[in-house]
Amino acid sequence: STVSSVAFPDKDLDRDDLGGDVTWSPPAEVSQVTHYVAYLSLNGTGVNRSQIGVEVPLGTITIHIAEDTDADEYIVIYTRSSLFE
């Protein structure tokens, strides 16, 4: 299952840093989804990704990025199930 409408209004005013809340819309089908995991990545497919915070449970649609976090090019959200990410 794939999330949609990922949004991130950056609240950190430093050019090379991020900070603020990432939001998304849940997938239409969530019967197998247990958690969401957010990553900073070098591209939209998750290359060289690093996890933001901890995984959050189904029903959560926001994760916070602490101010002064080093910026990467992309924020990607993965769904996690009891089967795999």
Side-chain angles (χ1 to χ4, degrees):
S1 298
T2 304
V3 303
S4 60
S5 303
V6 176
F8 175 68
D10 189 6
K11 303 292 184 182
D12 191 303
L13 300 179
D14 296 330
R15 180 178 179 183
D16 295 327
D17 292 335
L18 301 173
D21 291 330
V22 181
T23 60
W24 59 88
S25 295
E29 173 55 51
V30 294
S31 64
Q32 298 294 321
V33 175
T34 60
H35 293 84
Y36 298 105
V37 187
Y39 296 94
L40 296 174
S41 175
L42 295 180
N43 67 20
T45 61
V47 167
N48 203 28
R49 66 185 186 210
S50 59
Q51 187 171 333
I52 303 167
V54 298
E55 60 184 44
V56 294
L58 178 65
T60 305
I61 59 165
T62 303
I63 195 163
H64 183 73
I65 298 176
E67 291 181 6
D68 297 324
T69 297
D70 290 337
D72 275 329
E73 295 295 319
Y74 292 84
I75 297 170
V76 293
I77 310 295
Y78 284 68
T79 57
R80 184 169 299 227
S81 74
S82 56
L83 303 175
F84 69 117
E85 178 179 78

